[in-house]
Amino acid sequence: EIVLTQSPATLSLSPGERATLSCRASQSVSSYLAWYQQKPGQAPRLLIYDASNRATGIPARFSGSGSGTDFTLTISSLEPEDFAVYYCQQRSNWGTFGQGTKVEIK
Amino acid sequence: EVQLVESGGGLVQPGGSLRLSCAASGFTFSSYAMHWVRQAPGKGLEYVSAISSNGGSTYYANSVKGRFTISRDNSKNTLYLQMGSLRAEDMAVYYCARDTGPALEMATIDWGQGTLVTVSS
């Protein structure tokens, strides 16, 4: 099973700041990595698929990069609605999720 | 608009059974693989099971293999998860999700709101 490790566990930032989230895979997943956003009481929402492609309707402030084992989700300037938990997910070998990074208001 | 509506969750005793349903609308259900993903209270996401568009291919997480069965009825636009021998660790919100195409790409683009399964005596 491919294990995804996300860091940091919690990111404390202010609106307008840049957020950088990391996801590391235990073995190469090529570019088969997605990022999801989840707010309390809601289902996850797909943000980025195949490492760097924004899903439909996702604002341009969200971007993804990386390949192989190291991936990054960047939110260029945090909006109030961006404070949430973010999960990465690989689909190179079936599917597994990372444990999540919580982006909280500082 | 894509809609996925889960139902069938509730309280069940350890060792019991439950069947979850997911009613789909707003897209051609028979053309898409479907998934069940769960989330234990306060925890992260875990893939549980998946089925291809025609039901010919299925996937089960090791944690549920032999106890859960995924199926679909394309004439009713409905996905099912039959859960048996339930354990405390199966307690979670169960989400239904749509894949990007007919095969098991493990790419979930649309999600339902989930149904809560509570396992307790």
Side-chain angles (χ1 to χ4, degrees):
Chain A
E1 176 182 303
I2 297 176
V3 177
L4 299 178
T5 302
Q6 292 186 239
S7 61
T10 303
L11 200 51
S12 299
L13 295 168
S14 300
E17 290 193 293
R18 182 184 188 89
T20 303
L21 288 67
S22 175
C23 177
R24 176 164 289 179
S26 58
Q27 64 189 79
S28 176
V29 298
S30 185
S31 293
Y32 297 125
L33 189 105
W35 290 93
Y36 295 84
Q37 176 194 68
Q38 188 179 34
K39 297 178 181 179
Q42 296 186 16
R45 176 175 72 143
L46 178 66
L47 300 175
I48 302 288
Y49 65 94
D50 292 349
S52 60
N53 299 288
R54 272 190 303 277
T56 303
I58 301 303
R61 64 181 181 274
F62 291 92
S63 63
S65 63
S67 66
T69 60
D70 290 301
F71 299 86
T72 301
L73 173 70
T74 301
I75 309 171
S76 59
S77 178
L78 283 164
E79 296 288 338
E81 63 267 27
D82 298 337
F83 291 92
V85 178
Y86 293 83
Y87 293 95
C88 59
Q89 176 246 325
Q90 65 81 20
R91 64 181 189 89
S92 173
N93 183 356
W94 293 112
T96 52
F97 292 90
Q99 82 280 16
T101 290
K102 181 180 182 180
V103 178
E104 65 176 22
I105 299 176
K106 187 174 182 180
Chain B
E1 179 193 2
V2 171
Q3 282 204 320
L4 299 168
V5 180
E6 302 93 338
S7 61
L11 174 63
V12 61
Q13 292 187 337
S17 299
L18 209 58
R19 188 177 83 156
L20 306 183
S21 299
C22 171
S25 61
F27 64 101
T28 305
F29 180 73
S30 60
S31 295
Y32 291 88
M34 298 294 294
H35 302 262
W36 288 102
V37 180
R38 70 184 178 185
Q39 187 169 36
K43 302 296 184 182
L45 300 163
E46 179 189 18
Y47 267 107
V48 174
S49 187
I51 187 168
S52 61
S53 62
N54 63 4
S57 297
T58 57
Y59 159 83
Y60 295 95
N62 287 334
S63 57
V64 306
K65 205 171 289 184
R67 299 188 298 121
F68 290 11
T69 302
I70 191 171
S71 63
R72 63 190 297 158
D73 186 336
N74 286 342
S75 68
K76 295 182 178 180
N77 292 343
T78 303
L79 174 72
Y80 302 101
L81 186 67
Q82 180 68 47
M83 305 187 294
S85 302
L86 283 162
R87 307 166 180 168
E89 55 265 34
D90 295 319
M91 184 163 67
V93 173
Y94 284 73
Y95 295 102
C96 160
R98 178 175 77 131
D99 207 315
T100 53
L104 294 180
E105 299 290 343
M106 309 306 286
T108 46
I109 55 173
D110 294 295
W111 296 59
Q113 284 305 301
T115 187
L116 176 63
V117 173
T118 302
V119 183
S120 175
S121 54

